[in-house]
């Protein structure tokens, strides 16, 4: 995925995992029903890029963190999702543990 924009592939993967159609996702984030499918298709094909507000609404609807869309590889994307599910205390502990390992 190097040198490619990761957003289209991440968007499609998250939407499929959520088991919703392009149209359903578009409508859930506030798009007109008549244009939702086409607009989402353009985002997934990389023809157009969603603005940050649209990406935030998609992330919320798809239950992924915003940074998921910017991960260059599947492992980073999985880690972003796993870390986002932790509470702040668990995230702090994870960060401390990782810092210890790199010493």
């Amino acid at each position: 995925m190097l040198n490619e924009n990761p957003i289209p592939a991440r968007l499609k993967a998250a939407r499929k995992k959520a088991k919703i159609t392009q149209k359903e996702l578009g409508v859930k984030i506030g798009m007109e029903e008549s244009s939702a499918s086409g607009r989402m298709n353009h985002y997934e094909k990389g023809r157009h890029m969603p603005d940050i507000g649209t990406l935030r609404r998609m992330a919320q609807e798809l239950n992924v963190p915003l940074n998921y869309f910017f991960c260059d590889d599947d492992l980073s994307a999985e880690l972003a999702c796993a870390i986002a599910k932790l509470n702040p205390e668990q995230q702090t502990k994870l960060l401390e543990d990782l810092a210890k390992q790199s010493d």
Side-chain angles (χ1 to χ4, degrees), residues 14 56 58-69 81 84:
R56 282 186 202 283
M58 287 184 210
Q60 188 171 17
E61 193 59 48
L62 296 170
N63 199 29
V64 295
L66 180 62
N67 63 330
Y68 164 86
F69 292 116
C81 290

Side-chain angles (χ1 to χ4, degrees), residues 2-101:
L2 245 57
N3 296 326
E4 272 182 45
N5 183 337
I7 294 172
R10 294 273 164 247
L11 174 56
K12 185 174 184 177
R15 181 185 58 77
K16 286 186 171 277
K17 187 174 181 183
K19 296 184 173 128
I20 59 174
T21 66
Q22 291 174 335
K23 182 176 182 176
E24 289 169 331
L25 177 58
V27 169
K28 286 178 181 229
I29 64 165
M31 293 178 182
E32 293 287 327
E33 195 170 330
S34 60
S35 63
S37 182
R39 285 181 62 190
M40 293 304 301
N41 183 269
H42 283 187
Y43 293 153
E44 287 186 9
K45 298 284 187 194
R47 288 190 203 111
H48 298 288
M49 281 300 114
D51 62 37
I52 195 72
T54 302
L55 266 179
R56 282 186 202 283
R57 289 190 302 278
M58 287 184 210
Q60 188 171 17
E61 193 59 48
L62 296 170
N63 199 29
V64 295
L66 180 62
N67 63 330
Y68 164 86
F69 292 116
F70 301 95
C71 294
D72 282 327
D73 58 68
D74 291 341
L75 182 58
S76 296
E78 286 183 47
L79 282 166
C81 290
I83 291 167
K85 290 177 183 167
L86 300 175
N87 66 42
E89 293 82 18
Q90 292 170 317
Q91 289 176 353
T92 300
K93 171 114 174 57
L94 176 62
L95 196 55
E96 289 168 355
D97 291 346
L98 290 171
K100 287 177 193 171
Q101 290 180 15

